[in-house]
Amino acid sequence: MNSISPSLKETPSRLSPFIALQSRDFRLIWFGQLISVAGSQMQTVAINWHVWELTRAPLALGLIGLARLIPIVFFSLVGGVVADTRDRRRVMLVTQTTMMLVAVSLGIVTMRGVVTPLAIYGLSAVAAAALAFDMPARQSLIPNLVPREHLTNALTLSSIVFQIATIVGPGLAGILIGSYGVGVIYWINAVSFLAVIAALVLMHARPKPQVEANGQLFNLHALREGFRFVRNSKIIFSTMLLDFLATFFAGANTLLPIFATNILHVGAEGYGFLSAAESIGSVVTGAIVSLLGDIKHKGAILLASVSLYGLATVLFGLSNLFLLSVFFLMLVGAGDTVSTILRQTIRQLVTPDNLRGRMTSINMIFFMGGPQLGEMEAGIAATLLGAPFAVITGGIATVLLVALTAYAVPALRHYKD
């Protein structure tokens, strides 16, 4: 853990909303992620649009989520053990390079005109497998780069950089797809990974592995220890389950190409703005949270933010006006950002450093499994009953689940730090 310099020893009321960026290594990874995530978000938008152009089938869009989910389920638990038993920085170097090669491959098959939905699914699965190792290593690395009292700020800034990237990325992707096609997006994303790779190479911090590897890639005892910790922590498990169910039911992103073309009639450019709308709301909300500093009533505000996420999803499904739809998606992003910041802060504060990788990997099944299975569910529901019905009922289910969680887990409702 970095020592705290005199300039950082301020009272909470005087802390800068950007104080975590005073830590050099965190600043490097923050700026690297800003560029790389923008490229990745451009690619996500491009893949959805590409599959929609190739098939015009809602179910085909849903299969993108399934292609990503299967590797996550298979590899995320191994990724968590690796994050706790190996050099987290080196793990990220391998995973970032792998995802860069996936983007290059997508660019090549698109440029040659031999791309098929199956090829897109397969390469998306490879990228998801790399992400299953990358996310536990990355999230576990952040607490090693900043002082403990600045962790909430670091996680807030990490959320903000993600949301800034998802404003710039989809908006730019929509314009470029309309002008040049999807192929150029894959090449841009490939180059963007160099920013994170450079940040990792320049980083001074070399956090040591937290658990003895004993020459094994996968330590079953270490995995069982991680499961026991999550199972015995009602706070952590309830936030994971709520995250999974909310994103399973209320995710509307996969169906945005349908709303853009068939309901709002705004084309690829409008699709780009719809894809960026959530992130606009997220950045504004993240900036407000950063200015407010530490939040005391974390549990109650977490539940309220997930309720907003579900309610705004319902309103988006009901809208057939472009600007109103953009506004409701901004509210979705606002609720999601507050929820994400608080969930991550609670988990990182409650979890010992030697268990962070495994906790993150178990959470990844919930965090990534919910949206990816939700994409499949949304694709099926949209095929059978229409996209608006799929979105509206998902939002209603989310609000009901929040009420059930608040009743069943009073420890979460009353959680303070």
Side-chain angles (χ1 to χ4, degrees):
M1 186 71 70
N2 294 351
S3 61
I4 304 174
S5 67
S7 64
L8 299 182
K9 295 179 180 178
E10 304 179 47
T11 61
S13 62
R14 294 174 54 205
L15 288 178
S16 164
F18 306 103
I19 194 166
L21 292 178
Q22 295 186 26
S23 298
R24 175 187 178 275
D25 288 339
F26 177 75
R27 186 167 64 249
L28 280 173
I29 201 71
W30 191 87
F31 281 110
Q33 286 288 318
L34 177 62
I35 296 171
S36 178
V37 175
S40 296
Q41 290 302 307
M42 290 177 69
Q43 179 166 293
T44 297
V45 169
I47 285 175
N48 288 344
W49 188 262
H50 206 169
V51 170
W52 178 245
E53 277 192 327
L54 291 171
T55 65
R56 293 289 168 173
L59 184 58
L61 289 172
L63 289 174
I64 299 172
L66 184 63
R68 291 169 179 158
L69 174 64
I70 293 173
I72 289 170
V73 171
F74 273 97
F75 294 111
S76 64
L77 296 178
V78 181
V81 175
V82 169
D84 285 338
T85 58
R86 298 297 194 279
D87 183 332
R88 292 162 178 169
R89 188 186 66 90
R90 290 180 180 271
V91 172
M92 286 187 65
L93 282 170
V94 174
T95 57
Q96 293 288 314
T97 301
T98 301
M99 289 187 281
M100 180 177 68
L101 293 176
V102 167
V104 169
S105 300
L106 283 167
I108 290 173
V109 296
T110 302
M111 182 178 64
R112 291 185 174 181
V114 296
V115 65
T116 64
L118 185 60
I120 295 175
Y121 296 149
L123 289 168
S124 296
V126 174
L131 187 64
F133 289 87
D134 183 84
M135 186 174 289
R138 175 162 38 89
Q139 292 193 6
S140 302
L141 182 64
I142 290 176
N144 300 132
L145 305 181
V146 297
R148 177 182 173 86
E149 59 269 31
H150 301 157
L151 179 59
T152 299
N153 182 251
L155 294 173
T156 301
L157 292 175
S158 295
S159 178
I160 289 175
V161 74
F162 177 83
Q163 301 303 340
I164 290 174
T166 50
I167 291 173
V168 176
L172 183 58
I175 295 171
L176 293 176
I177 289 171
S179 301
Y180 304 103
V182 296
V184 67
I185 306 298
Y186 300 136
W187 292 110
I188 292 173
N189 185 40
V191 173
S192 74
F193 282 106
L194 295 175
V196 175
I197 293 172
L200 292 166
V201 170
L202 295 172
M203 191 179 291
H204 288 163
R206 298 290 190 272
K208 295 181 180 179
Q210 297 298 312
V211 179
E212 181 62 42
N214 296 323
Q216 300 175 340
L217 176 64
F218 184 69
N219 187 318
L220 188 59
H221 172 75
L223 177 60
R224 286 197 298 264
E225 185 182 16
F227 270 116
R228 280 196 302 270
F229 172 76
V230 171
R231 182 189 62 200
N232 294 332
S233 175
K234 291 183 178 179
I235 295 293
I236 290 180
F237 183 72
S238 63
T239 61
M240 289 183 180
L241 187 60
L242 182 62
D243 185 20
F244 175 85
L245 293 173
T247 53
F248 174 79
F249 284 112
N253 285 338
T254 302
L255 301 180
L256 288 183
I258 301 175
F259 278 87
T261 55
N262 296 349
I263 298 171
L264 301 174
H265 309 290
V266 291
E269 291 80 3
Y271 167 59
F273 286 110
L274 287 172
S275 299
E278 282 193 33
S279 298
I280 295 173
S282 295
V283 168
V284 173
T285 305
I288 293 172
V289 173
S290 181
L291 290 171
L292 290 175
D294 193 26
I295 296 173
K296 296 300 180 184
H297 299 279
K298 291 181 174 67
I301 296 176
L302 168 61
L303 292 168
S305 64
V306 180
S307 296
L308 174 62
Y309 174 79
L311 178 60
T313 298
V314 173
L315 296 173
F316 168 74
L318 292 169
S319 171
N320 57 10
L321 297 176
F322 177 66
L323 291 180
L324 201 56
S325 296
V326 169
F327 174 72
F328 290 140
L329 285 174
M330 289 172 63
L331 289 182
V332 170
D336 186 43
T337 292
V338 175
S339 170
T340 299
I341 291 170
L342 293 180
R343 288 195 315 267
Q344 289 184 355
T345 301
I346 290 169
R347 291 169 191 154
Q348 296 290 359
L349 290 175
V350 171
T351 306
D353 190 45
N354 67 311
L355 285 163
R356 282 192 175 119
R358 283 162 286 174
M359 180 277 294
T360 301
S361 70
I362 295 169
N363 174 60
M364 193 173 179
I365 295 177
F366 292 83
F367 172 72
M368 298 294 291
Q372 308 308 333
L373 280 177
E375 289 182 6
M376 188 67 182
E377 179 270 335
I380 294 172
T383 299
L384 297 175
L385 301 166
F389 180 86
V391 171
I392 293 167
T393 54
I396 293 172
T398 299
V399 175
L400 294 176
L401 286 165
V402 173
L404 180 61
T405 302
Y407 173 77
V409 190
L412 175 61
R413 187 173 69 246
H414 298 299
Y415 179 84
K416 299 178 183 179
D417 178 62

